[in-house]
Amino acid sequence: MPIIIHLDKVLEENGMKSNELAEIIGITTANLSILKTGKAKAVRFSTLEAICEALNCQPGDILEYQP
Amino acid sequence: MNRNSLLNIANFLCQFFKIIIGVSIIIIAAFFAHFQFERDSYADLKIEEPTNNSIIRFESESIAGKEPLDFQSLRLSDWKTGSLYFTFFKVTMIMTLTYLSLNQFEKVLKSVKDLKTFHQTNVNSLRRIGYYCLLITGLSIFNYWEFGVYAKSSISISLDVLLITLLAFILAEVFKEGNNLLEENQLTI
């Protein structure tokens, strides 16, 4: 898929671990791992909103389109 | 009648027919073996003219010697070895394939009961049923009987089995779409 997830990078910039983020936004670590590895087929706006709020970033910081 | 009762009945019928087919295969094999050694003990058994009721068929009949043939005089002991072997292997193969199809259908029913309806295993099972039915159609195409002076061969296509084949392949595609939707739903974060 040409959508690249930069969640690892943003997490590192914020000094946060995956399990902490999963707990804050209310999803399982397994689901967060699916998102991080690019296996997810869709992301809910509510999930994206929660991630952006927790990491204080924009959706464009997490997602990138590479044709 | 709720959903589980229907599934249980279907499951029971599958198992019942599997047992019937299994026992029939054993009986036919025993008859086949006995017939080889004790052909004379079947001398009194008369048989009727072999018929084929398929809509699409082409028949060829030949009678050597006296004509017209009185079908009352056809005896089981006159069954020619070539025709006997051909019919035995054909019938056994068709019954085995029917058994395997029922086995796959039982697996599908079990998964529906376990609420794992739209899984890849069901798509594979339905495709297998389709291939088995296709093989059954292929095996049923040619028929050949030879009893003493009487020989009959026919080519026929069994439309009902072909319809089941088509239905199995269509259902496999439907289940595949269901599986795609399920995966999409599961991989939505």
Side-chain angles (χ1 to χ4, degrees):
Chain A
M1 225 171 22
I3 300 289
I4 311 295
I5 312 284
H6 294 301
L7 199 55
D8 271 334
K9 200 178 109 188
V10 184
L11 274 169
E12 203 182 312
E13 283 169 6
N14 282 269
M16 199 184 280
K17 287 186 177 166
S18 294
N19 53 350
E20 287 172 355
L21 178 67
E23 202 175 312
I24 292 168
I25 63 176
I27 64 169
T28 61
T29 45
N31 273 346
L32 191 66
S33 173
I34 289 170
L35 185 62
K36 273 168 63 185
T37 50
K39 286 177 186 166
K41 289 203 174 183
V43 184
R44 287 191 192 92
F45 278 147
S46 57
T47 311
L48 196 58
E49 190 186 322
I51 292 171
C52 289
E53 197 183 329
L55 297 174
N56 193 26
C57 64
Q58 291 297 313
D61 298 332
I62 303 164
L63 307 172
E64 187 197 344
Y65 172 68
Q66 271 184 10
Chain B
M1 194 179 285
N2 64 30
R3 183 168 163 260
N4 266 346
S5 301
L6 271 172
L7 289 174
N8 285 337
I9 291 168
N11 204 31
F12 170 77
L13 284 174
C14 269
Q15 283 175 348
F16 176 74
F17 283 117
K18 268 169 68 181
I19 293 168
I20 297 277
I21 290 170
V23 170
S24 303
I25 290 173
I26 293 166
I27 290 170
I28 290 170
F31 162 76
F32 178 72
H34 188 253
F35 191 80
Q36 308 281 314
F37 301 109
E38 299 287 335
R39 194 175 274 252
D40 292 338
S41 58
Y42 296 93
D44 294 335
L45 282 175
K46 298 275 190 343
I47 58 148
E48 288 178 10
E49 183 196 5
T51 53
N52 193 332
N53 298 321
S54 297
I55 298 168
I56 302 171
R57 66 174 186 270
F58 173 77
E59 287 182 347
S60 128
E61 201 174 43
S62 72
I63 302 157
K66 57 183 178 185
E67 220 174 338
L69 182 81
D70 174 17
F71 288 110
Q72 293 300 313
S73 67
L74 282 182
R75 289 182 307 164
L76 200 64
S77 58
D78 291 335
W79 204 344
K80 290 285 176 70
T81 312
S83 167
L84 173 73
Y85 271 72
F86 175 79
T87 309
F88 170 72
F89 286 115
K90 189 181 122 174
V91 170
T92 314
M93 283 296 289
I94 288 173
M95 288 180 98
T96 309
L97 288 167
T98 310
Y99 181 91
L100 291 172
S101 300
L102 282 173
N103 204 31
Q104 294 298 328
F105 189 61
E106 206 185 326
K107 276 186 194 172
V108 174
L109 288 176
K110 194 178 176 301
S111 72
V112 174
K113 251 175 87 176
D114 296 341
L115 302 176
K116 291 175 183 169
T117 313
F118 294 111
H119 277 227
Q120 189 59 36
T121 47
N122 282 349
V123 178
N124 295 341
S125 288
L126 286 164
R127 278 200 187 132
R128 266 187 219 123
I129 292 173
Y131 288 126
Y132 292 149
C133 288
L134 210 60
L135 273 173
I136 291 171
T137 309
L139 283 166
S140 318
I141 285 177
F142 186 69
N143 307 295
Y144 166 61
W145 298 279
E146 199 175 354
F147 297 93
V149 294
Y150 173 78
K152 183 178 183 178
S153 57
S154 68
I155 291 171
S156 60
I157 294 171
S158 172
L159 285 181
D160 40 0
V161 184
L162 262 183
L163 202 69
I164 296 171
T165 309
L166 194 69
L167 202 69
F169 282 128
I170 289 170
L171 274 177
E173 285 306 307
V174 170
F175 273 63
K176 191 181 161 194
E177 282 302 312
N179 184 40
N180 285 343
L181 284 172
L182 181 81
E183 274 184 359
E184 206 170 280
N185 191 36
Q186 280 174 343
L187 291 173
T188 299
I189 313 296

